[in-house]
Amino acid sequence: MSKQSATLLIQCDDQVGLVAAVTEFIQRHMGNVLHLEQHVDTDAFFMRVEWDLENFNLENNAVADAFEKQIAHRFSMSFQLFFSGEKQRMALFVSKLPHCFYDILSRYQSGEWDIEIPLIVSNHEDMRPVAEQFGIDFYHLPITADNKAEQEKRQVELLKQHKIDFIVLARYMQILTADIIDQYPNRIINIHHSFLPAFPGAKPYHSAHARGVKIIGATSHYVTADLDAGPIISQDVSRVSHSEEVDEFIRKGRDLEKTVLANALWKHMQRKTLVYKNRTIIFN
Amino acid sequence: MSKQSATLLIQCDDQVGLVAAVTEFIQRHMGNVLHLEQHVDTDAFFMRVEWDLENFNLENNAVADAFEKQIAHRFSMSFQLFFSGEKQRMALFVSKLPHCFYDILSRYQSGEWDIEIPLIVSNHEDMRPVAEQFGIDFYHLPITADNKAEQEKRQVELLKQHKIDFIVLARYMQILTADIIDQYPNRIINIHHSFLPAFPGAKPYHSAHARGVKIIGATSHYVTADLDAGPIISQDVSRVSHSEEVDEFIRKGRDLEKTVLANALWKHMQRKTLVYKNRTIIFN
Amino acid sequence: MSKQSATLLIQCDDQVGLVAAVTEFIQRHMGNVLHLEQHVDTDAFFMRVEWDLENFNLENNAVADAFEKQIAHRFSMSFQLFFSGEKQRMALFVSKLPHCFYDILSRYQSGEWDIEIPLIVSNHEDMRPVAEQFGIDFYHLPITADNKAEQEKRQVELLKQHKIDFIVLARYMQILTADIIDQYPNRIINIHHSFLPAFPGAKPYHSAHARGVKIIGATSHYVTADLDAGPIISQDVSRVSHSEEVDEFIRKGRDLEKTVLANALWKHMQRKTLVYKNRTIIFN
Amino acid sequence: MSKQSATLLIQCDDQVGLVAAVTEFIQRHMGNVLHLEQHVDTDAFFMRVEWDLENFNLENNAVADAFEKQIAHRFSMSFQLFFSGEKQRMALFVSKLPHCFYDILSRYQSGEWDIEIPLIVSNHEDMRPVAEQFGIDFYHLPITADNKAEQEKRQVELLKQHKIDFIVLARYMQILTADIIDQYPNRIINIHHSFLPAFPGAKPYHSAHARGVKIIGATSHYVTADLDAGPIISQDVSRVSHSEEVDEFIRKGRDLEKTVLANALWKHMQRKTLVYKNRTIIFN
């Protein structure tokens, strides 16, 4: 897909003529729609449209302004505009567990994901050698009850300095405070090792084993101030049986966590997510 | 969803301005889009759009003509138009296996599916008591090598006489000839008891067991002249292990067949299927 | 499988030599082991063994006594003994929702399940015609806050009178009291329309939709005094998306409920379930 | 699980008293059974039993001999004996595709798998930097029609020299000849990027897309002389839709391939696989 394209993510109150207005705008400027999806949730309207820029007669830097004036203003739309080829910048927060960390770095290094990872932040030194092996800057910012506010301030500085677009908590075992969360709304992605809302909090595999469930899961979600209660982006499950100890739940869970987090990141990177009323709209 | 709505299924060559033209038509006549999905396959364009008829200013019987003249003609579109509340008429072909048969009749009788089933056709008498229990006419048309052409002629007569819209082969063990298939293109739905294209033909569970697969499946597809090779509508799978005999594959398979066929029928009934190049487009 | 066989379900403290002792007992009396599974949970031992009775040199009615004296007593085992061909007797409790009800009756009538269903109990009249269509006695026992104790007494009388082995709550919307539950420990099977422990209680599909989950589930479990918290027998899940309303969750959920409940019943009928510490051991 | 344990994998004709004899042997020598599974396939008997060595009164190097004389000989059993803590040695064959390669190396380096990987073999130079990054010897053995026999001879030398126990083809795009396969029966594990037996051979994702399947899969199997037809160890699937191009099938398939191959390797490493009549018995 080397075609140059533009993508609009649109949100507004539902009204007659929305799709017609947006598609007419694209057509009038000689664009050809490649993908279009819309969704109506009661009285709210959501749309993602991607079009070919080949014959499009507006310069990239003039599109947002034209769309605002010609369309968005009229319908009180909020919108995001992206162009293909823009690389997003991701920060990776880890602790001691390596599986999601290796998986993300492998996808990055092998070129599966067309992004930048300028920095890794951890409260432990354990993953430093892996970060170095993959050639990415590693910042060790140990967290204690006493220094949390200060270290988060340092984290925000690093994020700003590296122009980070979104943050991934790849089994980062610390709870972020509103000081960070509020600055990156719907841009911090966590992986929780249970099928939320079942088993929030710590040790979900132990709880799942104790409850005797026959299926375990993993959930990736945007981080909000409410622990493990943010908008869900992706979930998946795996069958377990009475013959499996907690160790085996954890082993199976690792593979779930890797793929569920990777799926959520892929959707986010492709600008296919919107958040509304603590739920996500995930475009195809 | 008691709202009165209309649905268009559209197919044509891909061109600039298609979505804009269709949505503008709906808007101009005061309709509000409820659902819209489009798909582009190389140079072919597909679209399903459903809109609220509440303020729509065309009579139902005038819509097709207006759409043809104002839009379809210009883009060389082929289209189908449906209105909510139109009940489709389904014919059920069975043989001796009861599981899909019971499942379909139960959904029908309990009101889960808003359709009509005016007739059941079978090459055996076995299911007659079940048909009678559910109060539906049962026609016993035994098939032999000698009488096949003649019996198919009788089947077509029954189908025409009962104004049948689509036919379901609910584990009907006979192969239909082109004499029937050609009259109901993309309107005969079969359930095959394997994960096609693996194990076409007879005894797929035995073949799957002999091959030692770890997952079995079922496939529902539109019937074409090419056996078990028609456009796939729905598939699902179930895990099996070395400890399961063929009997157990068959037992698990029955449940797969029921749900896969029911899913395919549901999509067809909702007018959410299109066929192109022996593949289906299945709208959400 | 027309072979005559016997099955032992065994439970005791883990000790050296348990499998050897049980299998030596079978061998000494000329039985051939068909299936054997054992499970150790910390210090508890569980086993299911099925053997061919063809050359077995004990009469059926002498096996329990011999096993008790020769083996069980020595290891302080508790055990259950079953013979192939014994038909279990199931009572069906329903309310107004038909999908699980039809599914169970269809499996029963078509001979998929080799059991007896002598009676159906309901707090509403709605399902009476379906019960009659399938030729099974239907008892209408409406429940109010005032008459609950009295009606449960009547239910227990009916259960005793019909020599019921186990009870199925096929979307029966009433909470049973300990008066019934205590008389049928691990013999009352419920289907809950969520992926427990997520969304216990009423309206789980609405809660799941509000939470924005990407996967819904159903759970079949033995009923205990603790609502929706009994030992889980079977679970399954289905994917959902933002584009699906609660109605669609309910529609998909119906199919999940049918298959999950049927799977749990199948395992129970085959004597493949044991309960320990509020969890199930489900043999293959 | 730091307990020292021994594991027997047993295969023979089905006979009365097999389980009793094996478990009695373990008990007589003061071992305690930790896990036991048996399987009967028509007239063939298979068993895996693991026992605690804590009080076992035979030295490790005396067990095989004692078991042969006391038990195996009598029943004409073939058996394999393993002790916990023995590290298996794996050779990794790769070509240009990195996803399975990274995944295996990450599991290895992070300690998830307790094995040795002494060498990597490739027909291309592409993965050398990754091998070096993970600190493992990399042998570049390019294959042409002319040098294939010679290069396979070199491969076998390397495998012998490094005392390799089993070989993993992690998307190694060459077909091995009988010269290698015959020396490592049921010890070469391949990952095929389709749901076998559907779509054997090259470009399965393209074939799956052309056929319009709604589910894609991956299959890991032991390599035999028959291409893509060896005994299946593990399979998994993922849903696809009409809206996904071949590129998206390939992207989803990569994640399937990683987890399916890893599952197969895990089962093999744990000595939980047996092969019989081109099918696998996979113990829990």
Side-chain angles (χ1 to χ4, degrees):
Chain A
M1 294 278 275
S2 55
K3 267 186 190 172
Q4 290 298 304
S5 68
T7 298
L8 270 170
L9 279 175
I10 296 168
Q11 199 162 343
C12 62
D13 291 345
D14 194 24
Q15 302 153 70
V16 168
L18 287 165
V19 179
V22 174
T23 52
E24 193 278 330
F25 167 85
I26 294 169
Q27 181 197 0
R28 191 188 335 137
H29 294 289
M30 310 298 290
N32 188 25
V33 170
L34 297 171
H35 296 286
L36 179 153
E37 266 185 276
Q38 59 102 46
H39 173 62
V40 176
D41 184 326
T42 319
D43 295 322
F45 174 86
F46 307 89
M47 183 172 171
R48 183 181 188 277
V49 59
E50 186 179 349
W51 68 95
D52 191 343
L53 290 174
E54 194 174 352
N55 301 313
F56 201 62
N57 64 16
L58 294 174
E59 293 298 311
N60 285 5
N61 60 15
V63 180
D65 201 48
F67 186 74
E68 172 63 37
K69 281 183 187 143
Q70 296 172 34
I71 307 291
H73 181 76
R74 175 165 32 126
F75 294 102
S76 301
M77 285 172 179
S78 68
F79 70 91
Q80 304 169 56
L81 174 69
F82 310 104
F83 295 97
S84 57
E86 294 170 340
K87 283 199 185 191
Q88 292 175 77
R89 298 169 67 79
M90 173 172 124
L92 198 42
F93 282 42
V94 289
S95 192
K96 294 179 165 190
L97 290 172
H99 53 287
C100 289
F101 186 55
Y102 271 107
D103 190 59
I104 289 169
L105 294 182
S106 300
R107 291 171 196 267
Y108 172 56
Q109 181 174 288
S110 67
E112 184 177 324
W113 287 345
D114 193 25
I115 56 168
E116 298 289 345
I117 306 184
L119 88 158
I120 293 162
V121 171
S122 182
N123 53 335
H124 293 286
E125 282 283 9
D126 303 57
M127 289 299 115
R128 182 184 292 279
V130 183
E132 288 174 354
Q133 174 180 330
F134 282 84
I136 303 175
D137 288 350
F138 182 91
Y139 295 84
H140 179 217
L141 298 175
I143 308 276
T144 64
D146 289 344
N147 74 359
K148 187 155 191 169
E150 191 186 334
Q151 293 290 58
E152 284 205 340
K153 193 177 277 183
R154 176 77 183 117
Q155 288 172 355
V156 172
E157 283 169 15
L158 284 167
L159 296 169
K160 299 291 177 196
Q161 178 187 325
H162 287 87
K163 296 188 168 54
I164 292 302
D165 292 304
F166 68 106
I167 300 157
V168 179
L169 309 184
R171 299 297 311 274
Y172 179 67
M173 312 299 265
Q174 295 293 319
I175 297 170
L176 303 187
T177 71
D179 292 343
I180 289 194
I181 296 171
D182 291 351
Q183 300 199 44
Y184 291 90
N186 302 328
R187 295 201 279 149
I188 307 175
I189 297 172
N190 186 43
I191 178 72
H192 182 76
H193 41 317
S194 86
F195 186 78
L196 289 174
F199 312 121
K203 299 231 170 235
Y205 293 124
H206 290 78
S207 305
H209 193 267
R211 179 64 188 90
V213 295
K214 301 302 184 189
I215 291 175
I216 54 169
T219 304
S220 186
H221 61 93
Y222 287 115
V223 173
T224 61
D226 219 351
L227 184 65
D228 296 333
I232 294 170
I233 310 168
S234 182
Q235 296 189 295
D236 203 358
V237 296
S238 199
R239 293 199 170 272
V240 290
S241 86
H242 68 269
S243 70
E244 294 168 45
E245 300 292 327
V246 174
D247 280 357
E248 183 67 7
F249 280 35
I250 292 171
R251 189 191 71 79
K252 283 189 175 175
R254 275 198 298 258
D255 281 11
L256 278 178
E257 294 163 32
K258 280 157 64 170
T259 48
V260 168
L261 178 55
N263 282 339
L265 295 179
W266 177 250
K267 285 295 185 182
H268 182 89
M269 285 172 204
Q270 291 195 301
R271 323 288 196 177
K272 292 193 167 176
T273 65
L274 275 176
V275 171
Y276 177 67
K277 288 187 177 172
N278 206 45
R279 283 179 283 152
T280 57
I281 290 111
I282 307 290
F283 294 105
N284 282 324
Chain B
M1 294 278 277
S2 54
K3 267 185 190 172
Q4 291 298 304
S5 69
T7 298
L8 270 170
L9 280 175
I10 296 167
Q11 200 161 342
C12 62
D13 291 345
D14 194 25
Q15 302 154 68
V16 168
L18 288 165
V19 179
V22 174
T23 53
E24 194 277 330
F25 168 85
I26 295 168
Q27 181 198 359
R28 191 186 336 134
H29 293 288
M30 310 297 290
N32 187 24
V33 170
L34 296 171
H35 296 288
L36 180 152
E37 266 184 274
Q38 59 100 48
H39 172 61
V40 176
D41 185 325
T42 318
D43 295 323
F45 175 86
F46 307 89
M47 184 171 170
R48 184 183 188 276
V49 60
E50 186 180 349
W51 69 95
D52 191 344
L53 291 173
E54 195 175 353
N55 302 312
F56 200 63
N57 64 17
L58 295 172
E59 292 299 309
N60 284 5
N61 58 16
V63 180
D65 201 47
F67 186 73
E68 172 62 36
K69 283 183 185 141
Q70 296 172 35
I71 308 291
H73 181 76
R74 176 168 25 133
F75 294 102
S76 301
M77 285 173 179
S78 67
F79 69 90
Q80 304 169 57
L81 175 69
F82 310 103
F83 295 96
S84 57
E86 294 169 339
K87 283 199 185 191
Q88 293 176 77
R89 296 169 68 79
M90 173 173 124
L92 199 42
F93 281 42
V94 289
S95 190
K96 294 179 165 189
L97 290 173
H99 53 284
C100 289
F101 187 54
Y102 271 107
D103 190 59
I104 289 169
L105 295 181
S106 299
R107 291 172 196 267
Y108 171 56
Q109 182 173 288
S110 68
E112 184 178 323
W113 288 345
D114 193 26
I115 56 167
E116 298 290 345
I117 306 185
L119 88 157
I120 293 163
V121 171
S122 183
N123 52 335
H124 293 284
E125 282 284 10
D126 303 58
M127 290 299 116
R128 182 185 293 279
V130 184
E132 288 174 353
Q133 174 180 329
F134 282 85
I136 303 175
D137 288 350
F138 181 92
Y139 295 85
H140 179 217
L141 298 175
I143 308 274
T144 64
D146 288 344
N147 73 358
K148 187 153 190 168
E150 190 185 334
Q151 293 291 56
E152 285 205 340
K153 193 177 276 184
R154 176 77 183 116
Q155 289 172 355
V156 172
E157 283 168 17
L158 284 168
L159 297 169
K160 299 292 177 195
Q161 178 186 324
H162 287 87
K163 297 188 168 55
I164 292 303
D165 292 306
F166 68 106
I167 301 158
V168 179
L169 309 185
R171 299 298 310 274
Y172 179 66
M173 313 299 265
Q174 295 293 320
I175 295 171
L176 303 187
T177 70
D179 291 344
I180 290 194
I181 297 171
D182 290 350
Q183 300 198 47
Y184 291 91
N186 302 327
R187 293 200 282 147
I188 308 175
I189 297 172
N190 186 43
I191 178 71
H192 182 77
H193 41 315
S194 86
F195 185 79
L196 289 174
F199 312 122
K203 298 233 171 234
Y205 292 125
H206 290 77
S207 305
H209 193 268
R211 179 62 187 93
V213 296
K214 300 303 183 188
I215 291 175
I216 56 170
T219 304
S220 187
H221 61 93
Y222 286 116
V223 173
T224 60
D226 217 351
L227 183 67
D228 295 335
I232 294 170
I233 310 169
S234 182
Q235 297 188 294
D236 204 359
V237 295
S238 199
R239 294 199 169 271
V240 290
S241 86
H242 68 270
S243 70
E244 294 169 46
E245 299 292 327
V246 174
D247 280 358
E248 183 68 8
F249 280 36
I250 291 170
R251 191 192 70 79
K252 283 189 175 173
R254 275 198 297 260
D255 281 11
L256 278 178
E257 294 163 32
K258 281 157 65 170
T259 48
V260 168
L261 178 56
N263 282 340
L265 295 178
W266 178 249
K267 286 296 185 179
H268 183 88
M269 286 172 204
Q270 291 194 301
R271 323 288 196 176
K272 292 193 167 175
T273 64
L274 275 176
V275 171
Y276 177 68
K277 289 189 177 171
N278 206 45
R279 284 179 281 152
T280 56
I281 290 112
I282 306 291
F283 294 106
N284 282 323
Chain C
M1 296 277 277
S2 55
K3 267 186 191 170
Q4 290 298 305
S5 68
T7 298
L8 271 170
L9 279 175
I10 296 168
Q11 198 162 345
C12 62
D13 291 346
D14 194 23
Q15 302 154 67
V16 169
L18 288 165
V19 179
V22 174
T23 53
E24 193 278 330
F25 168 85
I26 294 168
Q27 181 198 359
R28 190 187 336 137
H29 294 289
M30 310 297 290
N32 188 24
V33 170
L34 297 170
H35 296 287
L36 181 153
E37 264 186 276
Q38 59 101 46
H39 173 62
V40 176
D41 185 326
T42 318
D43 295 322
F45 174 86
F46 307 89
M47 184 171 169
R48 184 183 189 276
V49 60
E50 187 180 349
W51 69 95
D52 191 342
L53 290 174
E54 195 175 352
N55 301 313
F56 201 61
N57 63 17
L58 294 173
E59 292 298 308
N60 284 6
N61 60 17
V63 180
D65 201 47
F67 186 73
E68 172 62 37
K69 282 184 185 141
Q70 295 172 36
I71 307 292
H73 182 76
R74 175 166 28 130
F75 294 103
S76 300
M77 285 173 178
S78 67
F79 69 92
Q80 304 170 57
L81 175 68
F82 309 104
F83 295 96
S84 57
E86 294 170 339
K87 283 198 184 190
Q88 293 175 77
R89 297 170 68 79
M90 173 172 124
L92 199 40
F93 281 43
V94 289
S95 191
K96 295 179 166 190
L97 291 172
H99 52 286
C100 289
F101 187 54
Y102 271 107
D103 190 59
I104 289 169
L105 295 181
S106 300
R107 291 172 195 266
Y108 172 56
Q109 181 174 290
S110 67
E112 183 178 323
W113 288 345
D114 192 26
I115 55 166
E116 298 290 345
I117 306 184
L119 87 158
I120 293 164
V121 171
S122 182
N123 53 334
H124 293 285
E125 283 283 10
D126 304 57
M127 289 300 116
R128 182 185 292 280
V130 183
E132 288 175 352
Q133 173 180 331
F134 283 85
I136 303 175
D137 288 351
F138 181 91
Y139 294 85
H140 179 216
L141 298 175
I143 308 276
T144 64
D146 289 344
N147 74 358
K148 186 155 192 168
E150 191 184 334
Q151 293 291 58
E152 284 205 340
K153 193 177 277 186
R154 176 77 183 117
Q155 289 173 354
V156 171
E157 282 169 16
L158 284 167
L159 296 169
K160 299 292 177 193
Q161 178 186 325
H162 287 87
K163 297 190 167 52
I164 291 303
D165 292 306
F166 69 105
I167 300 158
V168 178
L169 310 184
R171 301 297 312 272
Y172 179 66
M173 314 299 265
Q174 294 293 320
I175 296 171
L176 302 187
T177 71
D179 292 342
I180 289 195
I181 296 171
D182 291 350
Q183 301 199 45
Y184 292 90
N186 302 327
R187 295 201 280 150
I188 307 174
I189 296 172
N190 185 43
I191 178 72
H192 183 77
H193 41 317
S194 87
F195 186 78
L196 289 174
F199 312 121
K203 299 232 170 233
Y205 293 124
H206 290 78
S207 304
H209 193 268
R211 179 62 187 91
V213 296
K214 300 303 183 189
I215 291 176
I216 56 170
T219 304
S220 186
H221 61 93
Y222 286 116
V223 173
T224 61
D226 218 351
L227 184 66
D228 296 333
I232 293 169
I233 310 168
S234 182
Q235 296 189 294
D236 204 359
V237 296
S238 199
R239 294 198 169 273
V240 291
S241 87
H242 68 269
S243 69
E244 294 169 44
E245 299 293 326
V246 174
D247 280 357
E248 182 67 7
F249 281 34
I250 291 170
R251 190 192 70 78
K252 284 189 174 174
R254 275 198 298 257
D255 281 11
L256 277 179
E257 294 163 32
K258 281 158 63 170
T259 48
V260 168
L261 179 55
N263 282 339
L265 294 178
W266 178 249
K267 286 294 185 181
H268 183 88
M269 285 172 203
Q270 292 195 301
R271 322 290 196 173
K272 292 194 167 174
T273 64
L274 276 176
V275 171
Y276 178 68
K277 288 188 176 170
N278 207 44
R279 284 178 282 152
T280 57
I281 290 111
I282 306 290
F283 294 106
N284 281 323
Chain D
M1 294 278 277
S2 55
K3 268 186 189 169
Q4 291 298 305
S5 68
T7 298
L8 271 170
L9 280 176
I10 295 168
Q11 200 161 342
C12 62
D13 290 346
D14 195 22
Q15 302 153 67
V16 169
L18 288 165
V19 179
V22 174
T23 52
E24 194 278 330
F25 168 85
I26 294 168
Q27 182 198 358
R28 189 185 337 135
H29 294 288
M30 311 297 291
N32 189 26
V33 169
L34 296 170
H35 296 287
L36 180 152
E37 265 184 277
Q38 59 100 46
H39 172 60
V40 176
D41 184 326
T42 320
D43 295 322
F45 174 85
F46 307 90
M47 184 172 169
R48 184 184 189 275
V49 59
E50 186 179 350
W51 69 94
D52 191 343
L53 291 174
E54 195 176 352
N55 301 312
F56 200 62
N57 63 17
L58 294 174
E59 292 299 309
N60 284 6
N61 59 17
V63 180
D65 200 47
F67 186 73
E68 172 62 37
K69 282 181 187 146
Q70 298 171 34
I71 307 293
H73 182 74
R74 174 164 31 129
F75 294 101
S76 300
M77 284 172 178
S78 67
F79 70 90
Q80 304 170 56
L81 175 68
F82 309 103
F83 294 96
S84 58
E86 293 169 340
K87 283 198 185 189
Q88 292 176 79
R89 297 169 68 78
M90 172 172 125
L92 200 41
F93 281 42
V94 289
S95 192
K96 295 179 167 191
L97 291 172
H99 53 287
C100 289
F101 187 55
Y102 271 108
D103 190 58
I104 289 170
L105 294 181
S106 299
R107 290 172 197 267
Y108 172 56
Q109 181 174 289
S110 68
E112 185 178 323
W113 287 345
D114 193 25
I115 55 165
E116 298 290 345
I117 306 183
L119 87 158
I120 293 162
V121 170
S122 182
N123 53 335
H124 293 285
E125 282 283 10
D126 303 57
M127 289 300 117
R128 182 185 291 280
V130 184
E132 288 174 353
Q133 175 181 331
F134 282 85
I136 302 176
D137 288 351
F138 182 92
Y139 295 85
H140 178 216
L141 298 175
I143 308 275
T144 64
D146 290 343
N147 73 358
K148 188 155 190 168
E150 190 185 335
Q151 292 293 56
E152 284 205 342
K153 194 177 274 185
R154 176 77 183 118
Q155 288 172 356
V156 172
E157 281 168 16
L158 284 168
L159 296 170
K160 299 293 176 193
Q161 178 186 326
H162 287 86
K163 297 188 167 55
I164 291 303
D165 291 306
F166 68 107
I167 300 158
V168 179
L169 309 185
R171 300 298 311 274
Y172 179 66
M173 313 299 264
Q174 294 293 319
I175 297 171
L176 302 187
T177 70
D179 292 343
I180 290 194
I181 297 172
D182 290 350
Q183 300 199 45
Y184 290 91
N186 301 326
R187 295 201 280 147
I188 307 175
I189 297 172
N190 185 42
I191 177 73
H192 182 77
H193 40 317
S194 86
F195 186 77
L196 289 174
F199 312 121
K203 299 233 172 233
Y205 292 124
H206 291 78
S207 304
H209 193 266
R211 179 62 187 92
V213 296
K214 300 303 183 188
I215 291 177
I216 54 169
T219 304
S220 186
H221 61 92
Y222 287 116
V223 173
T224 60
D226 218 352
L227 184 66
D228 295 335
I232 293 170
I233 310 168
S234 181
Q235 296 189 294
D236 204 359
V237 296
S238 198
R239 292 198 170 273
V240 291
S241 86
H242 68 269
S243 69
E244 294 169 45
E245 300 292 328
V246 174
D247 281 357
E248 183 67 8
F249 280 35
I250 291 170
R251 190 192 71 77
K252 283 188 174 175
R254 274 197 299 258
D255 281 10
L256 278 179
E257 294 163 32
K258 281 158 62 170
T259 48
V260 168
L261 179 56
N263 282 339
L265 294 179
W266 178 248
K267 286 295 186 182
H268 183 89
M269 284 172 205
Q270 292 195 302
R271 324 287 197 174
K272 292 192 167 176
T273 64
L274 275 177
V275 171
Y276 178 68
K277 288 186 176 172
N278 207 44
R279 283 178 282 151
T280 57
I281 290 112
I282 306 291
F283 294 105
N284 282 324

